Amino acid sequence: MSIEKALIERSSNQCELCGATENLSVYEVPPVTETHSDKCIYTCQTCKYQIENNSELTPTHWHCLNDSMWSQTPAVQVVAYRMLSRLAPDNGWAQDALDMIYLEEDTLAWAKKALAEDDDVKHVDSNGVVLQAGDTVTLIKDLDVKGSSLTAKRGTAVRNIGLTSNPEHIEGRVDGQRIVILTKFVKK
């Protein structure tokens, strides 16, 4: 069976991300070592264009990820994770979804691999270790949170961090509040 036929059968002839039924094609989820239906998704032209062109995202289109991120297909999970990671810095709903998504260890490694390769901005902790979206970091200093009476205590673990376009900033939740943290005050 050809890859496209296998994907049509798996997806019920719909985009595996947004559910569209027109202008569908095969998208190979990078990095591609061998072409196989397990390493591809069936997607519409709108999704495929925005996946391949980093600068042109329509956040409202990607609300579909709230459903597709729960797919049982690892390739769909990988693309959902990557798109949520790209959307998270500017969209709270995407960060919330990213905080909820669960990926098996090998699937998460696959998802993060291309993110690290595509990302021109490198976020490093106080020790120079490169940080990636989804990492857990520890605060190395008590931090007063601006606009709040909250003080984030030294030693607090911040799980599932989000990266921003500024290499000196990361985002994370401390005591249920989403805050921006300077990378020089955390360690992996």
Side-chain angles (χ1 to χ4, degrees), residues 34-140:
E34 64 176 90
T35 304
H36 189 277
S37 62
D38 291 343
K39 302 290 183 184
C40 300
I41 63 171
Y42 205 46
T43 186
C44 68
Q45 189 173 11
T46 303
C47 288
K48 188 173 184 178
Y49 177 78
Q50 291 188 42
I51 291 168
E52 293 174 340
N53 296 289
N54 284 334
S55 61
E56 300 185 31
L57 291 178
T58 308
T60 54
H61 173 77
W62 292 104
H63 282 279
C64 61
L65 294 176
N66 285 317
D67 293 327
S68 57
M69 71 183 206
W70 301 112
S71 171
Q72 296 299 310
T73 306
V76 176
Q77 294 173 344
V78 166
V79 174
Y81 181 89
R82 290 176 182 172
M83 295 309 295
L84 288 169
S85 295
R86 285 175 48 195
L87 290 160
D90 300 321
N91 299 280
W93 66 267
Q95 184 59 54
D96 290 342
L98 196 56
D99 290 344
M100 288 188 297
I101 196 169
Y102 173 78
L103 302 177
E104 294 291 334
E105 196 172 309
D106 57 335
T107 305
L108 182 60
W110 178 17
K112 287 183 174 183
K113 185 171 183 170
L115 283 177
E117 291 171 1
D118 293 342
D119 195 7
D120 295 333
V121 178
K122 298 293 179 208
H123 294 74
V124 294
D125 72 1
S126 60
N127 297 323
V129 176
V130 176
L131 300 173
Q132 296 180 346
D135 282 347
T136 297
V137 296
T138 305
L139 300 179
I140 61 169

